[in-house]
Amino acid sequence: MQNAEIAGKANFEHIRYAQLWEDADVLTAALGDCQGGTLVSICAAGDNALAMLTLDPAKVVVVDLSDAQIACLKLRIGAFQNLTHPEFLALMGARPSTERGALLDKATSALDAQTRAFWQGLAPNVIAHGAGGVGKFERYFRIFRTRLLPLVHSRKTLDDTFVSRPKPARQTFLDQRFNTWRWRLLLNTFFSRFVMGRMGRDKAFFEHVDGSPAQHVARRIKHAAVDCDPAENPYLHWILKGTHGAALPMTWRAEHFETIKARLDRLDIRPGSLEAFVSTGEKADGFNLSDIFEYMSPDVFAQVYGSILKASAPEARLVYWNMMAPRRVPPAFADQVTTLTEVEDRLKAIDKAFFYSDFVVEQVKK
Ligand SMILES: C[S@@+](CC[C@H](N)C(=O)[O-])C[C@H]1O[C@@H](n2cnc3c(N)ncnc32)[C@H](O)[C@@H]1O
């Protein structure tokens, strides 16, 4: 198995992301028509690999370097199979619940012994925060919400953030109610490289990142709070309030529950690196690459990108995000792909996972 560059640098023993912080509505729209095809997805917490089942592919190959992240997908599989949709939302933490211990037992009852034991060890956390709240990244948001946010905004201001209003009124709300000097001070402190590295992301992940995380977050908050309607944003709701409100991420919405449940057998879970998949000789029609390129040096990125192209069927789409480090088709491969700029622009404008700075959709030429 080929080694991925980041594997030697970061610690993958614990759940880093207990839910997906990338918008599956945007991902699935970007992948286009995939009916009957083979898709490849980075697992992370598993939500987006599950969302890709709604595209009716023959299979979704799911890869991840981290066994803890693969365990997040396995939990979801058990939950789709054994819980009702309202129970699923309660277990994951989208809704408040006092039943999570029992729901966790039910969801994990048919899973392999190792995965069951892994989740049993996390039961107190799942009961307290929901299974979608137990990652390092979510813990970071929780500290922000419970310890720092109350120093800056009243409960009323936070509740009012999720009242649907026309765009000009959203700008006024942001300027007059939300973007106070206390809020700006909090952003600059909490999103300093030092604090983010200590609490949210490994420092290794910042090696290739330009610009201040706080400046970046301030720009993206305008996107989430003014350009888009916060009332429709489940990610912002979780960050500020610790649960989802009326809006849910695609995979968690009732309308997709039965479709996903009926297609779980199309998942092909392969613990290990994406690089390992692309060296098998199989061809895929679409890739959800999360934001993994951002964690690679430009040289390694170019090398991995080339190997993905070799594993791509004609017209396959490569879909990925950038948070802070710019990554797009390396010059050496520019003549082999078409950047779907119109698709990107249309979807970037509605991307609810607001902290990314770029969303890339590249299509392999015929
Ligand atoms: C890149 S992270 C980003 C997650 C996402 N931004 C989020 O907020 O949910 C997603 C996953 O990619 C995995 N990963 C990173 N590089 C990888 C690689 N080369 N092959 C397979 N998985 C990889 C990590 O283990 C992690 O679980």
Side-chain angles (χ1 to χ4, degrees):
M1 185 182 290
Q2 291 193 9
N3 282 330
E5 186 194 33
I6 193 76
K9 292 188 183 173
N11 170 13
F12 285 110
E13 280 168 23
H14 302 290
I15 296 177
R16 189 174 293 278
Y17 309 96
Q19 60 180 287
L20 242 302
W21 295 93
E22 291 156 7
D23 187 345
D25 285 302
V26 161
L27 168 69
T28 50
L31 284 166
D33 179 8
C34 302
Q35 198 176 22
T38 295
L39 298 177
V40 176
S41 179
I42 295 291
C43 185
D47 296 314
N48 286 4
L50 292 168
M52 288 159 75
L53 293 173
T54 64
L55 298 172
D56 201 14
K59 69 173 169 181
V60 179
V61 177
V62 192
V63 296
D64 206 295
L65 294 168
S66 158
D67 289 336
Q69 295 301 147
I70 298 275
C72 292
L73 174 58
K74 290 187 177 169
L75 174 70
R76 282 155 171 77
I77 294 172
F80 270 86
Q81 285 169 334
N82 295 297
L83 303 184
T84 63
H85 179 254
E87 287 175 334
F88 172 79
L89 293 185
L91 173 64
M92 299 313 292
R95 303 283 177 255
S97 173
T98 52
E99 307 297 316
R100 289 192 194 118
L103 294 174
L104 183 65
D105 287 344
K106 220 166 143 187
T108 54
S109 58
L111 299 182
D112 60 275
Q114 214 184 344
T115 308
R116 221 171 41 236
F118 176 79
W119 280 107
Q120 223 39 74
L122 288 170
N125 269 338
V126 173
I127 290 167
H129 311 300
V134 301
K136 192 173 176 186
F137 203 58
E138 292 80 22
R139 194 179 76 222
Y140 178 59
F141 283 139
R142 190 156 53 247
I143 293 169
F144 176 79
R145 176 175 57 81
T146 58
R147 306 218 190 129
L148 301 173
L149 202 52
L151 306 173
V152 171
H153 284 315
S154 67
R155 202 192 164 110
K156 172 139 180 40
T157 301
L158 296 175
D159 287 345
D160 284 354
T161 304
F162 296 98
V163 171
S164 194
R165 39 171 84 77
K167 197 167 168 180
R170 299 204 284 266
Q171 182 72 60
T172 307
F173 183 86
L174 181 67
D175 294 343
Q176 296 181 359
R177 300 268 314 273
F178 205 90
N179 197 10
T180 59
W181 68 267
R182 282 173 190 251
W183 170 253
R184 289 194 297 274
L185 181 67
L186 175 64
L187 266 197
N188 288 328
T189 312
F190 197 69
F191 289 100
S192 68
R193 267 164 208 273
F194 175 74
V195 177
M196 278 188 88
R198 285 281 306 262
M199 296 169 64
R201 301 185 134 217
D202 279 5
K203 283 205 196 77
F205 289 178
F206 283 107
E207 276 174 20
H208 308 294
V209 166
D210 300 319
S212 126
Q215 283 169 348
H216 168 76
V217 172
R219 279 193 302 272
R220 300 310 297 161
I221 283 175
K222 181 179 173 297
H223 167 82
V226 179
D227 302 339
C228 303
D229 185 350
E232 293 170 6
N233 193 324
Y235 309 101
L236 188 66
H237 197 284
W238 187 293
I239 294 167
L240 297 183
K241 303 194 56 138
T243 59
H244 289 136
L248 291 164
M250 179 177 175
T251 312
W252 297 19
R253 292 202 293 265
E255 72 219 56
H256 299 301
F257 192 77
E258 292 303 327
T259 309
I260 293 173
K261 182 176 174 175
R263 296 178 180 168
L264 291 171
D265 60 346
R266 302 190 199 176
L267 294 173
D268 178 352
I269 302 174
R270 303 193 199 173
S273 67
L274 174 78
E275 292 87 321
F277 167 80
V278 299
S279 60
T280 59
E282 292 162 85
K283 302 267 186 200
D285 303 289
F287 293 85
N288 162 29
L289 299 165
S290 176
D291 61 349
I292 65 163
F293 293 146
E294 198 162 3
Y295 303 145
M296 299 174 188
S297 63
D299 285 351
V300 172
F301 164 50
Q303 187 193 319
V304 173
Y305 195 99
S307 62
I308 294 171
L309 290 185
K310 287 202 187 100
S312 295
E315 303 202 303
R317 289 187 184 182
L318 279 56
V319 180
Y320 54 98
W321 282 263
N322 294 325
M323 190 171 289
M324 283 173 272
R327 294 284 181 272
R328 280 180 169 269
V329 56
F333 303 108
D335 59 344
Q336 295 183 42
V337 303
T338 308
T339 300
L340 302 185
T341 312
E342 276 175 24
V343 176
E344 287 178 357
D345 290 347
R346 179 168 49 82
L347 296 174
K348 263 191 259 190
I350 56 169
D351 193 339
K352 299 183 286 300
F354 55 94
F355 20 74
Y356 300 93
S357 58
D358 205 3
F359 178 62
V360 185
V361 187
E362 286 156 351
Q363 185 163 39
V364 177
K365 289 183 181 166
K366 270 195 202 171

